[in-house]
Amino acid sequence: MTLLSGKTLTLLLTSALFTLAGCGGSSSGSGDNTSGGGGTGTPQWVAGVFAPDSEFANRCVADPNGSELTEKLWLRSWSNDTYLWYDEIADVDPAPFSVLAYFDQLKTQELSPSGNTKDKFHFSMPTSEWDQLNQSGATVGYGAHFFIQQADGSQDRKITVTYVEPNSPASEMEVSRGYVVTEIDGVNVKDAADSASIAILNRGLFPETAGQQTRFTFQHLDKTTFTELTLTAQTIISTPVQNTTTIVTTTGKVGYLQFNAHIATAERGLFDAINTLSDAGVDDLVLDLRYNGGGLLAMAGQLGYMIAGSQATQGKIFERSTFNDKHPNTNPVTGEALTPMPFFSESLGFNATLLGAGRSLPSLNLSRLFVLTTANTCSASEALMNSLRGIDIEVIQIGDTTCGKPYGFYPTPNCGTTFFTVQFKGENNKGFGDYSDGFVPSTSPTLESEIPGCSLSDDFNHALGDTDERLLNAALYYRANGQCPITVSNMAKARPRSQVIDPGFVIEDSRKQNVLLNNRILTRGPQPSHQE
């Protein structure tokens, strides 16, 4: 597997989105010019016959040699060639579907051994939106992030602010972590029970355009004070690395770092944060990944190096990717021989204006790591945990079971849309990657997906980084005592394997602007230089 080099990454991140689709992929079946093929004939769908996706790439509906059918046939052949579970896709006639609706069904319908949906990660978004999001973390919103507790018959619907981006409309209005949204544009959050009211809640929480004004009523932490505020949506540039601090204890210094997303702008933030903690001489690190759903996998490889250092990572792999059985030795996206991802010891220039490529990364040279997690800790964040364990760095998990995503993809554009389909599975230096139901903190782990630590629910009553905040406090207690604090009443409950909620009454962000919060992403290009 290959990633972008530091010297070419900035250019490729912008250009590859528009050029790769024209390169095509290998043929995964047989075809001709009239039966699912391109060339001079008329393309047709023939069940079980797959022409190379290169024959349909960039043959868009707006082009003289393109059509809606050629766009769908490209998706079909591309999926058949690169999708991890290609043999579980039902090969149905694309004619009745729109392009995006057809893509939605080009995935497995199977369930995991535990009964969960096997593929929960299949989606698409406009290429222009993906490019902006990947490079800057820019999304439309208010700067407030929300934890949404759905009403399911056993609990009421509840929306709580988890954290607020600095210099955003929410921060300027002094909205803070732990505030509960009780009303949105006059609709009561807890009691909304019709589709029109749910639509108002969704529209208010997840604005589509800058300038949208929404009236919120917030309940403060004291449970008795309520404030009504009108927030105006704007393009928010996220700050993925926050709250870097050193905590002085009787047994040494502990670094704390809140890391929210593996996006391009985070490289500089991590570089500066680890330098700060290194200069402070910290003996341990508490890495807060509770809201970090993933992003650029190479950045996780960089952070792994910055935590463990050169001696622990030398000669070890960060992650080995495996594709479907059509490609046991070759990357189907790049066409190159499969090579493991290393722990990167240099900057890769994800955002060259913030940090150019080729700079030596700082490291803390730690032998253990405390990680704070929730169900929103996903993908590249899980890869970091797994890969450090793969080189015998002790990982102690405090919080809730992670989301469970050992899978990833290469964002692939065609005709103005970038498609994300599961293409590979990641394994650490020891060959482990079976955590599709998440990493579980446990006081007595017996499975490889169970990690020593404490199962605790998130604490919205304290600021992130506050030593009295439940998860951070438990990490400090565990460090001092080698065991979890006695907080049985705050133990996190196991997540249900299935939960039936009327889809008409679900509060969710359907904009897909938060793609990086749920995925591990590889990009195309030459392998970065790696020096240990």
Side-chain angles (χ1 to χ4, degrees), residues 78-370:
W78 171 69
S79 299
N80 182 261
D81 185 42
T82 69
Y83 186 58
L84 186 62
W85 304 290
Y86 70 95
D87 53 350
E88 296 176 15
I89 298 176
D91 186 20
V92 300
D93 187 350
F97 301 92
S98 68
V99 172
L100 294 184
Y102 185 58
F103 174 68
D104 287 343
Q105 65 87 44
L106 288 173
K107 64 177 182 178
T108 180
Q109 302 300 319
E110 300 294 322
L111 300 178
S112 71
S114 61
N116 286 323
T117 300
K118 190 172 181 178
D119 185 355
K120 302 173 287 187
F121 313 105
H122 192 79
F123 67 97
S124 62
M125 66 192 307
T127 296
S128 58
E129 186 177 328
W130 157 246
D131 194 28
Q132 179 187 38
L133 178 64
N134 180 45
Q135 281 297 289
S136 67
T139 60
V140 174
Y142 316 103
H145 297 260
F146 302 103
F147 171 72
I148 300 171
Q149 175 181 292
Q150 307 282 3
D152 65 356
S154 64
Q155 60 185 6
D156 290 330
R157 183 186 301 111
K158 187 177 182 181
I159 301 172
T160 309
V161 176
T162 56
Y163 69 96
V164 175
E165 297 286 355
N167 304 313
S168 66
S171 66
E172 291 171 1
M173 291 288 190
E174 299 184 347
V175 176
S176 66
R177 173 176 170 83
Y179 276 25
V180 174
V181 181
T182 59
E183 286 190 2
I184 298 175
D185 283 336
V187 174
N188 185 279
V189 169
K190 182 172 71 71
D191 298 330
D194 60 85
S195 58
S197 296
I198 298 299
I200 290 172
L201 297 182
N202 275 316
R203 179 182 181 275
L205 287 170
F206 312 115
E208 296 278 356
T209 58
Q212 176 182 316
Q213 292 189 327
T214 303
R215 190 174 72 257
F216 289 87
T217 300
F218 292 100
Q219 180 187 48
H220 293 217
L221 287 174
D222 63 11
K223 312 298 184 186
T224 60
T225 304
F226 293 82
T227 300
E228 184 176 295
L229 299 173
T230 297
L231 299 180
T232 302
Q234 65 182 43
T235 299
I236 303 295
I237 306 298
S238 68
T239 304
V241 181
Q242 299 184 26
N243 292 333
T244 304
T245 188
T246 299
I247 302 166
V248 179
T249 74
T250 57
T251 55
K253 297 178 180 179
V254 180
Y256 170 83
L257 172 61
Q258 178 190 343
F259 182 31
N260 299 326
H262 293 72
I263 59 176
T265 54
E267 187 179 37
R268 180 72 204 211
L270 291 173
F271 182 89
D272 291 341
I274 298 300
N275 262 325
T276 297
L277 296 176
S278 177
D279 290 343
V282 299
D283 303 293
D284 274 301
L285 175 65
V286 178
L287 182 63
D288 197 336
L289 297 175
R290 72 183 81 190
Y291 307 124
N292 190 324
L296 297 167
L297 192 59
M299 187 172 293
Q302 290 177 302
L303 182 54
Y305 171 84
M306 288 190 275
I307 291 168
S310 61
Q311 184 173 349
T313 59
Q314 186 169 10
K316 307 292 179 62
I317 69 165
F318 178 79
E319 184 166 281
R320 178 180 291 106
S321 295
T322 58
F323 292 79
N324 66 40
D325 58 13
K326 294 181 180 182
H327 306 282
N329 302 308
T330 304
N331 185 315
V333 178
T334 67
E336 299 178 359
L338 290 178
T339 55
M341 177 183 290
F343 287 85
F344 295 111
S345 61
E346 293 181 350
S347 61
L348 302 177
F350 289 109
N351 189 310
T353 61
L354 297 178
L355 185 67
R359 294 186 63 176
S360 296
L361 297 177
S363 61
L364 299 177
N365 301 308
L366 300 177
S367 60
R368 68 177 173 182
L369 174 70
F370 293 85

Side-chain angles (χ1 to χ4, degrees), residues 22-37:
C23 299
S26 62
S27 174
S28 55
S30 60
D32 56 42
N33 289 342
T34 59
S35 298

Side-chain angles (χ1 to χ4, degrees), residues 331-525:
N331 185 315
V333 178
T334 67
E336 299 178 359
L338 290 178
T339 55
M341 177 183 290
F343 287 85
F344 295 111
S345 61
E346 293 181 350
S347 61
L348 302 177
F350 289 109
N351 189 310
T353 61
L354 297 178
L355 185 67
R359 294 186 63 176
S360 296
L361 297 177
S363 61
L364 299 177
N365 301 308
L366 300 177
S367 60
R368 68 177 173 182
L369 174 70
F370 293 85
V371 182
L372 310 185
T373 65
T374 67
N376 293 315
T377 305
C378 196
S379 201
S381 291
E382 292 173 302
L384 174 67
M385 297 166 63
N386 191 47
S387 295
L388 287 174
R389 297 183 78 210
I391 60 171
D392 295 319
I393 299 299
E394 181 184 10
V395 176
I396 300 166
Q397 182 182 357
I398 309 293
D400 198 359
T401 301
T402 62
C403 85
K405 188 175 185 289
Y407 312 113
F409 38 59
Y410 286 79
T412 304
N414 192 62
C415 297
T417 299
T418 294
F419 297 94
F420 303 78
T421 197
V422 172
Q423 294 164 317
F424 63 89
K425 180 181 179 180
E427 298 177 346
N428 66 16
N429 190 68
K430 295 181 177 181
F432 178 72
D434 295 323
Y435 52 90
S436 60
D437 288 322
F439 283 117
V440 182
S442 173
T443 55
S444 54
T446 57
L447 303 174
E448 284 195 79
S449 59
E450 296 177 337
I451 298 181
C454 313
S455 181
L456 294 166
S457 59
D458 204 355
D459 174 11
F460 299 115
N461 293 321
H462 295 87
L464 298 176
D466 184 339
T467 56
D468 288 330
E469 188 275 319
R470 183 182 302 141
L471 270 59
L472 176 54
N473 185 266
L476 296 174
Y477 184 92
Y478 195 107
R479 178 180 179 273
N481 300 280
Q483 62 183 19
C484 299
I486 302 174
T487 53
V488 178
S489 62
N490 291 323
M491 295 297 285
K493 299 179 181 179
R495 294 201 305 276
R497 292 304 175 201
S498 61
Q499 187 179 71
V500 178
I501 302 176
D502 187 325
F505 302 113
V506 172
I507 309 298
E508 62 180 349
D509 187 353
S510 61
R511 302 168 302 171
K512 298 177 183 176
Q513 289 187 113
N514 60 345
V515 52
L516 288 178
L517 302 181
N518 295 284
N519 292 292
R520 73 175 67 191
I521 296 165
L522 286 180
T523 46
R524 311 162 188 84

